[in-house]
Amino acid sequence: MDLALLTRRCEHEWEIPAHGAMRVPAVIFASEALVRQMDHKVYEQAVNVAMLPGIVTASFVMPDAHWGYGFPIGGVAAFDADGGGVVSAGGVGFDVSCGVRCLHTGFKSAALRAAQEELADVLYAQIPVGVGSTGGIHLGVSETDAMLTGGASWAVHNGWGEAEDLERIEERGQMSGADPHQVSARAKQRQQDEMGTLGSGNHYLEVQHVTGIFDGALARQFGLEMDDVVVMIHCGSRGLGHQIGTDFLKRMAIAAGAYGIALPDRELACAPIRSELGQSYLGAMRAAINCALANRQILTHLVRRAFAHVLPEAKLPLLYDVSHNTCKLEQHGGRSLYVHRKGATRAFGPGHPELPEALRAAGQPVLIGGSMGSGSYILAGTHSSQRQAFSSACHGAGRAMSRHQASRTWRGREVIEALAARGITVRSPSMRGVAEEAPEAYKDVAAVVDSAEAAGLARKVARVEPLICIKG
Amino acid sequence: MGGDPMASGKRMRAHWEHFAHQADMGVRGIGPSKAQAFEQAALAMTAIMTDPATVKPLEMIRIDCEAPDDELLLAEWLNSLVYEMSTRRMLFGRFTVELGPGALQGRAWGERIDPERHHPAVEVKGATYTSLRVAQEGGGWIAQTVVDV
């Protein structure tokens, strides 16, 4: 991105002043080096989002932002229904409620190392992963609707997990306002055999250990110490969410003219919040959030079963579960706003009433997935994050190289061998998939989280590095 | 990256290619006719997951779709294929398309996914409207968009 197009507010904050049809400015939170790495398309997309009706304060861009469709990935925008605000399917993305869940294990890495290969094999056998994989659960029509309404609560009620898990999930594991009747038959059909599946692409399940503590007090509140082994699960709402994105992108693109919305780009397809289509999308999208929460809950059950087989004394309570592709109605500055986060994590600060009591003093855990080799980060929401960008932070490393280029640059087998030499066990059904996800195809996640902290979006708590990676 | 698994035309050879997108993948079909460009775009989408040449044409399915313009029709065609692949657990390696006003009648030949043989790399979530374009160009047609993976 050309820095000459931006006004520097401070070290890690840049403004694109409102011009042309922009209703508000765009604000980018990133270091100079990260801004320079961003594609010019991120600039264009941040500007386009600022043109949408009812947008409040600014079109925000997180440090890991890259070119998406409609909104940039790493984009945050809030809309006021009273001000003619809109809801956008492109502002949420196809993988509705894609997110990250972190589980404690109670082990140190030495105990895990002794069983590393066996655990990798059992996890790989237990977790359906990769293109075309199906889960062991087949959902009929009425059960699908119950899942879409109940989310992780539905899963726990059916025996996949414990009631105390729900405390440690955004929305307490059940998104309110979900309307299964707004979800198409096609979307439900795509999901009927996909519950408890990990997917492919950048989705993964990793066993990791803590290799750095940045804030001892926060780490203690999160229950983390050096060398603790944790499990991270990254996946979303699977075929159901993808189909909802597809369905509503088309409906919103066709209907925009009838709602008097002049779209700067068709991919910004949206509808007024207070319209039949807007409400229909919100009902369907919230159902997809419940699908993602239920899916990660079932995967948690499968992980616990695998651990019980190899390390019977293991207990795997949740640290937290966050979603990074959503639109949620939240209170900010005394106003009710519809906050779109596309590739951005909610980061409520200390004392927020949405947080479970055990975490309320610390602030919300913000789980940042990195690449297979570079590790991941656990951050905490801060008071300043509430002021900066509607309590939002980054979500991952962000790609530095296209899949196409990555698959021509590396071979999957070589990537696996290189990681094995570093003590990281990879299991995947697709060597090409592994090549496309090679660590070097991603930006430096450390630079992203450093910038997020410096910008006041979140505070660094701990760094974790993989021991086992199950990759789709 | 490209391929030539389909027929050649008088004015230009029908073919497909991928184009760069930072996080996802661009698919572009090119052909003497608009319908052939649509067919090639579908092949380009299959090639994101596997080599289309490895997919045996064991089963044929019909796809009918409608949209108010060519570009939305291309997205609808590709998204219909995503749906069929997802629910049937199939891959497709051969396509035919007939276009009418605002409507498409397509056929797709393929087989159930065999991970051992197809080594599928990544699943396609859906066709977006990013870089979505259907146009006459260079004596033929192009049909392109970015698909979310």
Side-chain angles (χ1 to χ4, degrees), chain A residues 399-410 435-436 441, chain B residues 20 25:
Chain A
R399 290 194 77 89
M401 185 187 287
S402 71
R403 291 182 175 280
H404 183 184
Q405 196 180 346
S407 66
R408 288 190 307 179
T409 307
W410 296 288
E436 291 181 2
Chain B
M25 291 278 254

Side-chain angles (χ1 to χ4, degrees), chain A residues 74-94:
Chain A
V76 176
F79 295 84
D80 184 356
D82 291 336
V86 296
V87 61
S88 169
V92 172
F94 278 70

Side-chain angles (χ1 to χ4, degrees), chain A residues 113-124:
Chain A
R113 291 270 184 215
Q116 185 163 341
E117 292 296 318
E118 186 188 1
L119 182 61
D121 287 338
V122 175
L123 283 168
Y124 188 51

Side-chain angles (χ1 to χ4, degrees), chain A residues 106 122 150 173 177 180 211 217 220 257 267 339 353 370 389 399 410 437 471:
Chain A
V122 175
T211 57
R220 275 191 296 280
E267 63 192 28
V339 184
R399 290 194 77 89
W410 296 288
E437 291 290 317
K471 196 81 182 166

Side-chain angles (χ1 to χ4, degrees), chain A residues 168 242 258 363:
Chain A
R168 300 276 184 142
H242 308 168

Side-chain angles (χ1 to χ4, degrees), chain A residues 89-118:
Chain A
V92 172
F94 278 70
D95 199 359
V96 179
S97 200
C98 182
V100 183
R101 173 176 290 208
C102 183
L103 311 171
H104 299 285
T105 69
F107 289 103
K108 298 290 185 187
S109 66
L112 197 287
R113 291 270 184 215
Q116 185 163 341
E117 292 296 318
E118 186 188 1

